Amino acid sequence: PLVAYELGAGGGMASVSFQSAAMGGVFARFPRALLVHRAGGPAGRALYVFLVAGPAPALRGGMARVVHLAVPRDESAGSLSRMYGAFRAFNPAWAETRLLLVGPGLPQPPALAQAFPAAEVHLSVFHLCKRLQQQIQRLALEGRAERLILAALSDTMCAATESSRRKMHALLGDLVTPDLLPQLHIHWLLDDEIWAVHRERTWGDSSNYFRDLEVVTQGLSQVFSTGLSLESCITSLAQHYQNPQSSLDPSSPVAKLEATENPEGDSEEEINRRTEELIEQSLRDICTEPAARLCLSEFAVVQKSVQLIGAGEDALSIQVLEDAHRVDLKGLSSCTCHFNQVFQLPCRHILAVLNLDRNTLQPEMLSRQWQKGRDAHQAGRDSADGLLEVLKSSWNKSLDKSLVVSFLTAEISRLLTHCSREEFECRYRTLRELADSWIGPYVEVKL
């Protein structure tokens, strides 16, 4: 291991920088992105933890990301410059660092920028979300509002799309009083530069990344806060690095977030229901609308089926055993499954019957709006039939309004279903823009 230290007036250690051979080896392999975490301790001292922040699939466990530990004499520009200088002296690969992630309020940011002139300095999403969690929990909001905000933040942390960030921003604006909003710094949610690197991670990668960083920073902070002499403290930190505790303190924001999502005492059915809701919401947030509809129909099959899962060396085998569904044999146009009920299209069960009977699809098995060849003349005949029904009934104001709405709906449906793919995309975009400009961009209008 490498150690650099300064002595104080009484001959004791006043500052220290420590790095094991394993730490140096990790940074040499993954030098491009570095996260600098600061933890406050007793007597105004601070621990600085340097971690690999970029993709590092070979690293197992959060502590494997730690590449350097340091306690400066104080947090003046000179002391921090010497601390960063010790890091550079221990790690010749520092010149390859291109991104530095830091928490809000890191002391003397120019000293860090000067030590790594080729790197960009950005706010760390981990620190941003952790601070936001802590601030929300301190507001003492009504229980449902707090759970709703923390659930939305969890989605944003793991799927940092522009849509999810804007929804989170709008949600905070609606549920938190204006006088409390400034302390939350919700403008960070709309800063694309902050989230640019993080949104490249998948949902699973993001979840693991946040948990790894929480375990590391929480564990090392607890060791540092014990108030030992600096010599004993750096020894304890090195031992903790070798034998970390993987559990989270129940008081930590991440642990509280997990407890919010999985409160102790919930039934298995309640936990499953909450999980299914989160999956459905993630599909709506991430997928385009047609893709989300199809994925949701497939997920409906999963929710009402039995899954047989077998583990192999490098893959899982999944066999979905569906619940039985009933197909109406009169015309083969109706089935009890989710897909047929929602889309009014031949489902896998109807197609299985056709295949079994060696039959083919017939026009009467489809709803008329899905059939090819239904031109404007046929649509007009359908409308005329509906008009005759209306004329036979007694007139009233609500019926007149209903008639206008139904005819307008029928005409829009005809324009959308009887056109080329290019025309459909153009017409749908126009409707989407009209709906958004009418009711507002943060409320999804179903077309």
Side-chain angles (χ1 to χ4, degrees), residues 71-106:
V71 180
R73 178 187 291 266
D74 53 46
E75 294 186 280
S76 65
S79 291
L80 293 181
S81 294
R82 291 193 295 275
M83 178 187 72
Y84 297 135
F87 178 90
R88 298 197 332 174
F90 289 178
N91 299 281
W94 70 267
E96 300 177 39
T97 301
R98 293 294 178 265
L99 177 65
L100 294 165
L101 300 178
V102 301
L106 184 79

mmCIF file of all heavy atoms in Angstrom, residues 71-106:
data_model
loop_
_atom_site.group_PDB
_atom_site.id
_atom_site.type_symbol
_atom_site.label_atom_id
_atom_site.label_comp_id
_atom_site.label_asym_id
_atom_site.label_seq_id
_atom_site.Cartn_x
_atom_site.Cartn_y
_atom_site.Cartn_z
ATOM 1 N N VAL A 71 -7.799 11.929 4.134
ATOM 2 C CA VAL A 71 -8.295 12.879 5.126
ATOM 3 C C VAL A 71 -7.359 14.075 5.085
ATOM 4 O O VAL A 71 -6.200 13.981 5.519
ATOM 5 C CB VAL A 71 -8.317 12.268 6.547
ATOM 6 C CG1 VAL A 71 -8.841 13.296 7.552
ATOM 7 C CG2 VAL A 71 -9.151 11.000 6.579
ATOM 8 N N PRO A 72 -7.789 15.225 4.551
ATOM 9 C CA PRO A 72 -6.893 16.391 4.468
ATOM 10 C C PRO A 72 -6.728 17.062 5.831
ATOM 11 O O PRO A 72 -7.520 16.849 6.755
ATOM 12 C CB PRO A 72 -7.623 17.314 3.484
ATOM 13 C CG PRO A 72 -9.069 16.958 3.640
ATOM 14 C CD PRO A 72 -9.106 15.489 3.947
ATOM 15 N N ARG A 73 -5.681 17.886 5.949
ATOM 16 C CA ARG A 73 -5.432 18.627 7.205
ATOM 17 C C ARG A 73 -6.640 19.520 7.522
ATOM 18 O O ARG A 73 -7.097 19.584 8.659
ATOM 19 C CB ARG A 73 -4.152 19.460 7.060
ATOM 20 C CG ARG A 73 -3.825 20.316 8.296
ATOM 21 C CD ARG A 73 -2.653 21.231 8.006
ATOM 22 N NE ARG A 73 -1.413 20.484 7.868
ATOM 23 C CZ ARG A 73 -0.539 20.262 8.852
ATOM 24 N NH1 ARG A 73 -0.784 20.718 10.067
ATOM 25 N NH2 ARG A 73 0.569 19.598 8.627
ATOM 26 N N ASP A 74 -7.100 20.226 6.535
ATOM 27 C CA ASP A 74 -8.328 21.023 6.618
ATOM 28 C C ASP A 74 -8.869 21.113 5.192
ATOM 29 O O ASP A 74 -8.379 20.415 4.302
ATOM 30 C CB ASP A 74 -8.058 22.418 7.219
ATOM 31 C CG ASP A 74 -6.936 23.149 6.492
ATOM 32 O OD1 ASP A 74 -6.941 23.164 5.234
ATOM 33 O OD2 ASP A 74 -6.041 23.701 7.168
ATOM 34 N N GLU A 75 -9.882 21.937 4.985
ATOM 35 C CA GLU A 75 -10.473 22.003 3.646
ATOM 36 C C GLU A 75 -10.216 23.342 2.973
ATOM 37 O O GLU A 75 -11.041 23.867 2.225
ATOM 38 C CB GLU A 75 -11.966 21.691 3.721
ATOM 39 C CG GLU A 75 -12.215 20.243 4.150
ATOM 40 C CD GLU A 75 -13.677 19.840 4.101
ATOM 41 O OE1 GLU A 75 -14.409 20.191 5.069
ATOM 42 O OE2 GLU A 75 -14.099 19.186 3.135
ATOM 43 N N SER A 76 -9.033 23.863 3.242
ATOM 44 C CA SER A 76 -8.587 25.052 2.507
ATOM 45 C C SER A 76 -8.152 24.634 1.111
ATOM 46 O O SER A 76 -7.938 23.448 0.832
ATOM 47 C CB SER A 76 -7.424 25.713 3.240
ATOM 48 O OG SER A 76 -6.293 24.835 3.247
ATOM 49 N N ALA A 77 -8.029 25.598 0.219
ATOM 50 C CA ALA A 77 -7.622 25.300 -1.150
ATOM 51 C C ALA A 77 -6.252 24.626 -1.179
ATOM 52 O O ALA A 77 -6.020 23.688 -1.952
ATOM 53 C CB ALA A 77 -7.608 26.581 -1.990
ATOM 54 N N GLY A 78 -5.329 25.080 -0.307
ATOM 55 C CA GLY A 78 -3.989 24.498 -0.290
ATOM 56 C C GLY A 78 -3.991 23.049 0.168
ATOM 57 O O GLY A 78 -3.330 22.188 -0.443
ATOM 58 N N SER A 79 -4.731 22.749 1.247
ATOM 59 C CA SER A 79 -4.775 21.372 1.753
ATOM 60 C C SER A 79 -5.411 20.431 0.734
ATOM 61 O O SER A 79 -4.924 19.308 0.520
ATOM 62 C CB SER A 79 -5.552 21.326 3.072
ATOM 63 O OG SER A 79 -4.850 21.976 4.101
ATOM 64 N N LEU A 80 -6.491 20.867 0.110
ATOM 65 C CA LEU A 80 -7.160 20.001 -0.870
ATOM 66 C C LEU A 80 -6.289 19.817 -2.111
ATOM 67 O O LEU A 80 -6.277 18.729 -2.709
ATOM 68 C CB LEU A 80 -8.520 20.576 -1.237
ATOM 69 C CG LEU A 80 -9.563 20.577 -0.105
ATOM 70 C CD1 LEU A 80 -10.885 21.146 -0.591
ATOM 71 C CD2 LEU A 80 -9.779 19.174 0.441
ATOM 72 N N SER A 81 -5.554 20.845 -2.502
ATOM 73 C CA SER A 81 -4.648 20.704 -3.645
ATOM 74 C C SER A 81 -3.564 19.671 -3.362
ATOM 75 O O SER A 81 -3.211 18.863 -4.233
ATOM 76 C CB SER A 81 -4.008 22.060 -3.994
ATOM 77 O OG SER A 81 -4.974 22.973 -4.459
ATOM 78 N N ARG A 82 -3.053 19.657 -2.124
ATOM 79 C CA ARG A 82 -2.042 18.656 -1.768
ATOM 80 C C ARG A 82 -2.664 17.253 -1.750
ATOM 81 O O ARG A 82 -2.008 16.280 -2.128
ATOM 82 C CB ARG A 82 -1.413 18.998 -0.408
ATOM 83 C CG ARG A 82 -0.542 20.242 -0.435
ATOM 84 C CD ARG A 82 0.309 20.383 0.820
ATOM 85 N NE ARG A 82 -0.511 20.581 2.021
ATOM 86 C CZ ARG A 82 -0.958 21.775 2.425
ATOM 87 N NH1 ARG A 82 -0.673 22.854 1.714
ATOM 88 N NH2 ARG A 82 -1.669 21.875 3.537
ATOM 89 N N MET A 83 -3.904 17.155 -1.301
ATOM 90 C CA MET A 83 -4.576 15.855 -1.293
ATOM 91 C C MET A 83 -4.754 15.334 -2.725
ATOM 92 O O MET A 83 -4.456 14.168 -3.019
ATOM 93 C CB MET A 83 -5.942 15.977 -0.619
ATOM 94 C CG MET A 83 -6.757 14.680 -0.597
ATOM 95 S SD MET A 83 -8.440 14.937 0.033
ATOM 96 C CE MET A 83 -9.182 15.819 -1.360
ATOM 97 N N TYR A 84 -5.231 16.184 -3.634
ATOM 98 C CA TYR A 84 -5.385 15.763 -5.027
ATOM 99 C C TYR A 84 -4.023 15.458 -5.653
ATOM 100 O O TYR A 84 -3.891 14.551 -6.500
ATOM 101 C CB TYR A 84 -6.094 16.843 -5.835
ATOM 102 C CG TYR A 84 -7.514 17.122 -5.378
ATOM 103 C CD1 TYR A 84 -7.979 18.432 -5.231
ATOM 104 C CD2 TYR A 84 -8.397 16.081 -5.076
ATOM 105 C CE1 TYR A 84 -9.274 18.693 -4.816
ATOM 106 C CE2 TYR A 84 -9.698 16.333 -4.654
ATOM 107 C CZ TYR A 84 -10.133 17.641 -4.524
ATOM 108 O OH TYR A 84 -11.412 17.901 -4.101
ATOM 109 N N GLY A 85 -2.997 16.203 -5.223
ATOM 110 C CA GLY A 85 -1.649 15.927 -5.726
ATOM 111 C C GLY A 85 -1.164 14.551 -5.303
ATOM 112 O O GLY A 85 -0.490 13.851 -6.083
ATOM 113 N N ALA A 86 -1.491 14.129 -4.070
ATOM 114 C CA ALA A 86 -1.105 12.789 -3.615
ATOM 115 C C ALA A 86 -1.813 11.721 -4.447
ATOM 116 O O ALA A 86 -1.208 10.701 -4.802
ATOM 117 C CB ALA A 86 -1.454 12.624 -2.134
ATOM 118 N N PHE A 87 -3.085 11.954 -4.772
ATOM 119 C CA PHE A 87 -3.801 10.998 -5.623
ATOM 120 C C PHE A 87 -3.102 10.872 -6.980
ATOM 121 O O PHE A 87 -2.906 9.759 -7.487
ATOM 122 C CB PHE A 87 -5.253 11.445 -5.816
ATOM 123 C CG PHE A 87 -6.047 10.542 -6.717
ATOM 124 C CD1 PHE A 87 -6.753 9.462 -6.200
ATOM 125 C CD2 PHE A 87 -6.087 10.755 -8.088
ATOM 126 C CE1 PHE A 87 -7.473 8.612 -7.023
ATOM 127 C CE2 PHE A 87 -6.807 9.921 -8.927
ATOM 128 C CZ PHE A 87 -7.500 8.845 -8.390
ATOM 129 N N ARG A 88 -2.727 11.996 -7.543
ATOM 130 C CA ARG A 88 -2.055 11.950 -8.854
ATOM 131 C C ARG A 88 -0.701 11.241 -8.745
ATOM 132 O O ARG A 88 -0.328 10.470 -9.643
ATOM 133 C CB ARG A 88 -1.865 13.367 -9.399
ATOM 134 C CG ARG A 88 -3.169 14.089 -9.636
ATOM 135 C CD ARG A 88 -3.063 15.306 -10.532
ATOM 136 N NE ARG A 88 -1.781 15.976 -10.533
ATOM 137 C CZ ARG A 88 -1.474 16.992 -11.346
ATOM 138 N NH1 ARG A 88 -2.372 17.440 -12.203
ATOM 139 N NH2 ARG A 88 -0.308 17.566 -11.291
ATOM 140 N N ALA A 89 0.012 11.468 -7.664
ATOM 141 C CA ALA A 89 1.319 10.822 -7.501
ATOM 142 C C ALA A 89 1.174 9.310 -7.377
ATOM 143 O O ALA A 89 2.027 8.548 -7.871
ATOM 144 C CB ALA A 89 2.032 11.385 -6.268
ATOM 145 N N PHE A 90 0.100 8.845 -6.749
ATOM 146 C CA PHE A 90 -0.125 7.406 -6.597
ATOM 147 C C PHE A 90 -0.624 6.747 -7.880
ATOM 148 O O PHE A 90 -0.477 5.531 -8.056
ATOM 149 C CB PHE A 90 -1.177 7.153 -5.506
ATOM 150 C CG PHE A 90 -0.706 7.437 -4.099
ATOM 151 C CD1 PHE A 90 -1.565 7.281 -3.022
ATOM 152 C CD2 PHE A 90 0.590 7.867 -3.842
ATOM 153 C CE1 PHE A 90 -1.140 7.539 -1.723
ATOM 154 C CE2 PHE A 90 1.016 8.132 -2.552
ATOM 155 C CZ PHE A 90 0.151 7.974 -1.487
ATOM 156 N N ASN A 91 -1.240 7.558 -8.762
ATOM 157 C CA ASN A 91 -1.943 6.993 -9.932
ATOM 158 C C ASN A 91 -1.511 7.683 -11.220
ATOM 159 O O ASN A 91 -2.079 8.725 -11.591
ATOM 160 C CB ASN A 91 -3.460 7.150 -9.750
ATOM 161 C CG ASN A 91 -3.983 6.433 -8.534
ATOM 162 O OD1 ASN A 91 -4.168 5.229 -8.539
ATOM 163 N ND2 ASN A 91 -4.225 7.191 -7.455
ATOM 164 N N PRO A 92 -0.535 7.136 -11.931
ATOM 165 C CA PRO A 92 -0.095 7.747 -13.185
ATOM 166 C C PRO A 92 -1.211 7.844 -14.226
ATOM 167 O O PRO A 92 -1.139 8.690 -15.135
ATOM 168 C CB PRO A 92 1.007 6.787 -13.667
ATOM 169 C CG PRO A 92 1.482 6.093 -12.430
ATOM 170 C CD PRO A 92 0.278 5.970 -11.553
ATOM 171 N N ALA A 93 -2.271 7.027 -14.097
ATOM 172 C CA ALA A 93 -3.363 7.049 -15.086
ATOM 173 C C ALA A 93 -4.307 8.231 -14.891
ATOM 174 O O ALA A 93 -5.300 8.348 -15.614
ATOM 175 C CB ALA A 93 -4.153 5.739 -15.020
ATOM 176 N N TRP A 94 -4.020 9.137 -13.934
ATOM 177 C CA TRP A 94 -4.920 10.269 -13.675
ATOM 178 C C TRP A 94 -5.121 11.120 -14.922
ATOM 179 O O TRP A 94 -6.200 11.732 -15.085
ATOM 180 C CB TRP A 94 -4.365 11.136 -12.536
ATOM 181 C CG TRP A 94 -3.126 11.913 -12.916
ATOM 182 C CD1 TRP A 94 -1.832 11.523 -12.745
ATOM 183 C CD2 TRP A 94 -3.085 13.200 -13.540
ATOM 184 N NE1 TRP A 94 -0.965 12.478 -13.214
ATOM 185 C CE2 TRP A 94 -1.718 13.527 -13.718
ATOM 186 C CE3 TRP A 94 -4.039 14.105 -13.972
ATOM 187 C CZ2 TRP A 94 -1.307 14.716 -14.317
ATOM 188 C CZ3 TRP A 94 -3.640 15.293 -14.567
ATOM 189 C CH2 TRP A 94 -2.282 15.596 -14.723
ATOM 190 N N ALA A 95 -4.133 11.178 -15.776
ATOM 191 C CA ALA A 95 -4.243 12.009 -16.982
ATOM 192 C C ALA A 95 -5.323 11.508 -17.934
ATOM 193 O O ALA A 95 -5.760 12.243 -18.834
ATOM 194 C CB ALA A 95 -2.895 12.063 -17.697
ATOM 195 N N GLU A 96 -5.779 10.249 -17.760
ATOM 196 C CA GLU A 96 -6.830 9.696 -18.622
ATOM 197 C C GLU A 96 -8.234 9.971 -18.095
ATOM 198 O O GLU A 96 -9.224 9.640 -18.763
ATOM 199 C CB GLU A 96 -6.634 8.179 -18.774
ATOM 200 C CG GLU A 96 -5.309 7.777 -19.398
ATOM 201 C CD GLU A 96 -5.146 6.269 -19.453
ATOM 202 O OE1 GLU A 96 -6.148 5.583 -19.729
ATOM 203 O OE2 GLU A 96 -4.026 5.780 -19.191
ATOM 204 N N THR A 97 -8.330 10.574 -16.919
ATOM 205 C CA THR A 97 -9.643 10.876 -16.348
ATOM 206 C C THR A 97 -10.305 12.001 -17.135
ATOM 207 O O THR A 97 -9.716 13.071 -17.315
ATOM 208 C CB THR A 97 -9.513 11.277 -14.865
ATOM 209 O OG1 THR A 97 -8.897 10.210 -14.135
ATOM 210 C CG2 THR A 97 -10.877 11.580 -14.270
ATOM 211 N N ARG A 98 -11.537 11.742 -17.593
ATOM 212 C CA ARG A 98 -12.257 12.714 -18.417
ATOM 213 C C ARG A 98 -13.528 13.227 -17.749
ATOM 214 O O ARG A 98 -14.132 14.181 -18.227
ATOM 215 C CB ARG A 98 -12.627 12.089 -19.772
ATOM 216 C CG ARG A 98 -11.423 11.775 -20.647
ATOM 217 C CD ARG A 98 -10.708 13.050 -21.070
ATOM 218 N NE ARG A 98 -9.522 12.776 -21.869
ATOM 219 C CZ ARG A 98 -8.300 12.690 -21.383
ATOM 220 N NH1 ARG A 98 -8.103 12.845 -20.068
ATOM 221 N NH2 ARG A 98 -7.273 12.457 -22.166
ATOM 222 N N LEU A 99 -13.972 12.565 -16.670
ATOM 223 C CA LEU A 99 -15.208 12.976 -16.003
ATOM 224 C C LEU A 99 -15.042 12.859 -14.500
ATOM 225 O O LEU A 99 -14.606 11.826 -13.985
ATOM 226 C CB LEU A 99 -16.374 12.089 -16.459
ATOM 227 C CG LEU A 99 -17.727 12.347 -15.787
ATOM 228 C CD1 LEU A 99 -18.254 13.731 -16.145
ATOM 229 C CD2 LEU A 99 -18.737 11.272 -16.172
ATOM 230 N N LEU A 100 -15.387 13.921 -13.781
ATOM 231 C CA LEU A 100 -15.364 13.943 -12.322
ATOM 232 C C LEU A 100 -16.786 14.215 -11.825
ATOM 233 O O LEU A 100 -17.402 15.223 -12.200
ATOM 234 C CB LEU A 100 -14.419 15.033 -11.809
ATOM 235 C CG LEU A 100 -12.931 14.825 -12.109
ATOM 236 C CD1 LEU A 100 -12.160 16.119 -11.883
ATOM 237 C CD2 LEU A 100 -12.348 13.718 -11.236
ATOM 238 N N LEU A 101 -17.319 13.335 -10.988
ATOM 239 C CA LEU A 101 -18.652 13.498 -10.418
ATOM 240 C C LEU A 101 -18.523 13.856 -8.946
ATOM 241 O O LEU A 101 -17.805 13.178 -8.205
ATOM 242 C CB LEU A 101 -19.455 12.202 -10.570
ATOM 243 C CG LEU A 101 -19.675 11.720 -12.008
ATOM 244 C CD1 LEU A 101 -20.432 10.396 -12.031
ATOM 245 C CD2 LEU A 101 -20.425 12.767 -12.822
ATOM 246 N N VAL A 102 -19.196 14.912 -8.529
ATOM 247 C CA VAL A 102 -19.056 15.408 -7.149
ATOM 248 C C VAL A 102 -20.432 15.700 -6.580
ATOM 249 O O VAL A 102 -21.415 15.883 -7.304
ATOM 250 C CB VAL A 102 -18.192 16.684 -7.107
ATOM 251 C CG1 VAL A 102 -16.811 16.404 -7.665
ATOM 252 C CG2 VAL A 102 -18.863 17.828 -7.872
ATOM 253 N N GLY A 103 -20.502 15.753 -5.259
ATOM 254 C CA GLY A 103 -21.739 16.092 -4.582
ATOM 255 C C GLY A 103 -21.934 17.595 -4.514
ATOM 256 O O GLY A 103 -20.992 18.373 -4.687
ATOM 257 N N PRO A 104 -23.181 18.050 -4.245
ATOM 258 C CA PRO A 104 -23.432 19.487 -4.100
ATOM 259 C C PRO A 104 -22.635 20.061 -2.935
ATOM 260 O O PRO A 104 -22.507 19.442 -1.889
ATOM 261 C CB PRO A 104 -24.948 19.540 -3.798
ATOM 262 C CG PRO A 104 -25.490 18.219 -4.226
ATOM 263 C CD PRO A 104 -24.385 17.234 -4.049
ATOM 264 N N GLY A 105 -22.069 21.228 -3.142
ATOM 265 C CA GLY A 105 -21.364 21.889 -2.059
ATOM 266 C C GLY A 105 -19.982 21.353 -1.763
ATOM 267 O O GLY A 105 -19.449 21.589 -0.674
ATOM 268 N N LEU A 106 -19.366 20.614 -2.689
ATOM 269 C CA LEU A 106 -17.992 20.141 -2.458
ATOM 270 C C LEU A 106 -17.070 21.348 -2.271
ATOM 271 O O LEU A 106 -17.054 22.256 -3.108
ATOM 272 C CB LEU A 106 -17.512 19.305 -3.645
ATOM 273 C CG LEU A 106 -16.123 18.682 -3.477
ATOM 274 C CD1 LEU A 106 -16.203 17.437 -2.602
ATOM 275 C CD2 LEU A 106 -15.514 18.339 -4.834
#
